[in-house]
């Protein structure tokens, strides 16, 4: 009986229990909305309501990145690479008031290795630039503020108004003339000004005649040029560099190119150049003399079982050395495509740091600029570099007769601490044999 009475009482009180549960749920829901609004202070109830703090931590945190309505966004310096910590703003590609699209470059940052673009995170109008050209910036530095809802700059309209306003005042010059007539003292002062400036221009005959400063220009050295200068000087100070020379008869190689250049383009879509021939010859020579592909690391010698050849490319900003990976596994067409791709990126400043790191051997072709002979400098941390030069018709003795042949001088600069003269001469001799008779590559002899 007692249990039945208890169950009846519970049934009767269910509506009130349900109401209390719903009320508690509404309180929880109200409290959760307060938390989402960023309330972190609760004051004691006054008058049956909770007093809420107006400050929102999320809003305070987000103001440094966007406005309260989310209209403003900021373009920041991107990640530059593991070994690059800062850069210099070289130039701005846009101006305040210009319209930009998402991921469109608005500025260029020059590092000691590559040039990096600062892209707009959203489409909009550039409101202002926070940094200036020449500033040193690090990843995450704010460069520009972009408004997503602003209208592009009406600069073409506003300046004419200003100019028109400036052009309307020309009538006052007449009044100025009257004032000048009334006050002749002003004219006398103006006449004395040129007299004050003339004496400094006079110089005694004994003083040396230096060129005027107007014919001199002082500009800051680009970071890439600083990096090149430091690396070359470090190379001279570190390596025991020695250069050996040889000459190559290019007759057979040039005949091979002329005979198959059209078919090569038809099949592979790229021209057959000399660089791919010398890269394949260098691969063969490195396989015959592995020590040339090695490097000194402290008290150890690291021998590489792979061949990544760096190709020096001259650009307007300086010499860059992109790397062709695994050239020992590549064919002529693959090498030519790789060289063309890297050369285009180098001239446009689109090379990445990874594309210039990790080479084991370098080839530099100074012949494209007309160099007859030179001594190239090793590209650290490699141990050797091959220098190609211009092809010149020279008299040569062939089968007891003097004939004109297209000849090229080759130069191999190597680290004498690791590579002996014997290995260096044999290395260069192998390149000479392969270039003069390309059939050796086919027969592997």
């Amino acid at each position: 009986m007692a249990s039945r009475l208890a169950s009846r009482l519970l049934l009767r009180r269910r509506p009130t229990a349900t109401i209390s549960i719903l009320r508690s749920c509404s309180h929880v829901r109200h409290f959760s909305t307060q938390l989402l609004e960023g309330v972190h202070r609760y004051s004691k109830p006054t008058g049956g309501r909770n007093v809420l703090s107006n400050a929102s931590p999320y809003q305070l945190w987000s103001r440094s990145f966007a406005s309260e309505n989310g209209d403003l966004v900021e373009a920041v310096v991107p990640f530059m690479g593991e070994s690059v910590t800062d850069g210099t703003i070289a130039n701005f590609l846009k101006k305040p008031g210009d319209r930009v699209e998402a991921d469109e470059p608005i500025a260029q940052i020059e590092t000691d290795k590559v040039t990096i673009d600062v892209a707009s995170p959203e489409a909009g109008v550039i409101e202002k630039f926070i940094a200036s050209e020449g500033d040193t910036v690090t990843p995450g530095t704010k460069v520009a503020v972009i408004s997503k809802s602003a209208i592009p700059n009406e600069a073409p309209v506003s300046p004419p108004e200003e100019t028109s306003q400036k052009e309307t005042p020309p009538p006052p010059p007449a009044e100025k003339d009257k004032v000048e007539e009334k006050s002749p003292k002003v004219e006398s002062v103006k006449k004395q000004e040129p007299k004050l400036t003339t004496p400094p221009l006079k110089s005694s005959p004994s003083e040396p005649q230096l060129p005027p400063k107007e014919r001199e220009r002082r500009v800051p050295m680009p970071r890439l040029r600083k990096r090149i200068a430091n690396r070359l000087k470090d190379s001279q100070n570190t390596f025991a560099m020695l250069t050996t020379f040889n000459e190559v008869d290019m007759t057979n190689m040039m005949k091979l190119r002329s005979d198959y250049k059209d078919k090569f383009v038809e099949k592979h879509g790229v021209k057959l150049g000399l660089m791919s021939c010398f890269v394949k010859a260098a691969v063969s020579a490195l396989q015959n003399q592995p020590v040339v592909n090695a490097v000194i690391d402290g008290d150890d010698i690291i021998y590489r079982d792979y061949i990544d050849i760096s190709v020096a490319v001259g650009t307007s900003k300086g010499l860059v050395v992109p790397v062709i990976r695994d050239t020992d596994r590549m064919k002529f067409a693959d090498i030519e495509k790789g060289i063309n791709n890297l050369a285009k990126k180098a001239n446009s400043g689109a090379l990445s740091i990874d594309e210039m790191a990790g080479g084991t051997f370098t080839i530099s072709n100074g012949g494209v600029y007309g160099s007859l002979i030179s001594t190239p400098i090793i590209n650290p941390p490699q141990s050797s570099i091959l220098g190609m030069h211009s092809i010149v018709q020279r008299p040569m003795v062939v089968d007891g007769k003097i004939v004109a042949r297209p000849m090229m001088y080759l130069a191999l600069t190597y680290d004498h601490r690791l590579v002996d003269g014997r290995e260096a001469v044999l290395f260069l001799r192998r390149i000479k044999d392969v270039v003069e008779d390309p059939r050796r590559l086919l027969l592997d002899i």
Side-chain angles (χ1 to χ4, degrees):
M1 291 293 290
S3 63
R4 290 180 182 177
L5 289 173
S7 62
R8 289 177 183 176
L9 289 173
L10 288 172
L11 289 172
R12 290 177 182 176
R13 293 180 181 179
R14 271 181 187 174
T16 58
T18 305
I19 292 172
S20 63
I21 291 171
L22 291 174
R23 285 178 180 174
S24 62
C25 291
S26 65
H27 286 304
V28 172
R29 193 177 301 131
H30 180 63
F31 182 71
S32 63
T33 55
Q34 292 174 346
L35 287 177
L36 290 175
E37 289 174 357
V39 178
H40 56 92
R41 249 184 211 185
Y42 235 116
S43 62
K44 292 184 180 180
T46 56
R49 289 189 174 233
N50 296 322
V51 179
L52 305 181
S53 173
N54 293 328
S56 171
Y58 175 77
Q59 291 176 356
L60 293 175
W61 173 81
S62 63
R63 280 176 191 169
S64 61
F65 299 92
S67 64
E68 294 180 357
N69 57 3
D71 177 61
L72 300 180
V73 293
E74 293 169 342
V76 299
V77 178
F79 177 69
M80 303 180 187
E82 295 180 358
S83 59
V84 180
T85 57
D86 59 9
T88 302
I89 297 180
N91 61 322
F92 290 106
L93 305 178
K94 299 288 183 178
K95 297 180 294 183
D98 289 352
R99 172 77 182 178
V100 292
E101 301 298 330
D103 298 328
E104 182 179 356
I106 61 176
Q108 288 184 332
I109 297 178
E110 190 178 69
T111 69
D112 54 5
K113 293 185 178 180
V114 293
T115 301
I116 300 173
D117 292 333
V118 178
S120 172
E122 299 285 347
V125 176
I126 298 177
E127 188 173 276
K128 63 179 179 178
F129 286 113
I130 300 175
S132 304
E133 291 185 1
D135 289 353
T136 300
V137 294
T138 58
T141 303
K142 301 171 187 177
V143 174
V145 177
I146 298 168
S147 175
K148 295 187 287 185
S149 61
I151 301 174
N153 192 5
E154 299 179 357
V157 179
S158 57
E161 294 178 358
E162 296 178 358
T163 53
S164 62
Q165 292 176 357
K166 293 179 181 178
E167 290 174 358
T168 51
E175 298 178 358
K176 292 182 179 179
D177 295 338
K178 294 179 181 179
V179 175
E180 291 176 357
E181 290 176 0
K182 293 179 181 179
S183 57
K185 294 181 180 180
V186 178
E187 294 181 358
S188 62
V189 173
K190 291 182 179 178
K191 291 179 180 179
Q192 291 177 0
E193 288 179 356
K195 293 180 180 179
L196 296 174
T197 55
T198 50
L201 297 176
K202 296 180 181 179
S203 60
S204 61
S206 60
E207 294 180 359
Q209 297 295 326
L210 299 177
K213 293 182 179 180
E214 288 76 9
R215 300 173 67 180
E216 297 178 354
R217 290 184 300 115
R218 182 184 294 271
V219 296
M221 183 181 291
R223 295 178 66 96
L224 180 59
R225 174 56 59 186
K226 290 181 182 178
R227 179 64 174 173
I228 293 172
N230 292 333
R231 284 178 63 85
L232 292 177
K233 191 57 183 175
D234 291 342
S235 178
Q236 285 186 329
N237 296 337
T238 303
F239 299 133
M241 287 190 289
L242 188 63
T243 305
T244 183
F245 301 92
N246 211 323
E247 58 182 358
V248 181
D249 187 347
M250 300 294 296
T251 302
N252 293 332
M253 182 64 70
M254 296 176 69
K255 186 176 185 303
L256 177 69
R257 288 182 60 199
S258 62
D259 290 345
Y260 295 100
K261 61 180 182 180
D262 296 333
K263 294 182 180 179
F264 192 86
V265 173
E266 291 177 4
K267 182 174 181 179
H268 303 291
V270 65
K271 294 182 180 179
L272 177 62
L274 289 178
M275 283 302 299
S276 61
C277 302
F278 276 91
V279 168
K280 293 295 290 184
V283 168
S284 177
L286 290 170
Q287 290 173 340
N288 288 349
Q289 303 295 331
V291 69
V292 181
N293 199 44
V295 65
I296 295 176
D297 185 19
D299 295 332
D300 300 328
I301 300 176
I302 300 176
Y303 288 90
R304 286 84 165 252
D305 296 330
Y306 58 92
I307 300 175
D308 295 344
I309 293 185
S310 306
V311 179
V313 179
T315 66
S316 58
K317 295 183 178 180
L319 186 69
V320 294
V321 194
V323 182
I324 306 174
R325 312 286 179 184
D326 297 323
T327 52
D328 51 328
R329 303 178 182 178
M330 300 175 71
K331 298 179 180 179
F332 282 84
D334 299 329
I335 295 173
E336 288 292 346
K337 292 177 182 178
I339 293 174
N340 292 342
N341 183 34
L342 292 174
K344 291 178 181 178
K345 286 186 176 181
N347 291 320
S348 62
L351 281 174
S352 65
I353 296 175
D354 294 336
E355 290 173 325
M356 293 192 294
T360 62
F361 183 78
T362 298
I363 298 178
S364 176
N365 186 7
V368 295
Y369 307 110
S371 173
L372 181 62
I373 193 168
S374 66
T375 55
I377 298 178
I378 297 174
N379 179 27
Q382 301 172 13
S383 298
S384 53
I385 179 173
L386 175 68
M388 299 168 53
H389 300 90
S390 57
I391 301 173
V392 179
Q393 291 282 341
R394 291 203 301 271
M396 302 296 296
V397 178
V398 179
D399 297 331
K401 297 180 181 179
I402 299 176
V403 294
R405 291 290 183 125
M407 304 298 295
M408 175 193 288
Y409 285 121
L410 294 180
L412 177 70
T413 300
Y414 56 96
D415 186 1
H416 208 353
R417 300 176 305 166
L418 177 64
V419 182
D420 294 331
R422 174 181 175 274
E423 286 81 5
V425 172
L426 291 177
F427 176 90
L428 208 54
R429 180 70 191 185
R430 176 62 182 175
I431 292 181
K432 173 181 171 67
D433 293 341
V434 169
V435 172
E436 289 184 346
D437 189 1
R439 294 175 298 178
R440 290 176 176 270
L441 292 175
L442 178 63
L443 301 175
D444 192 19
I445 56 174

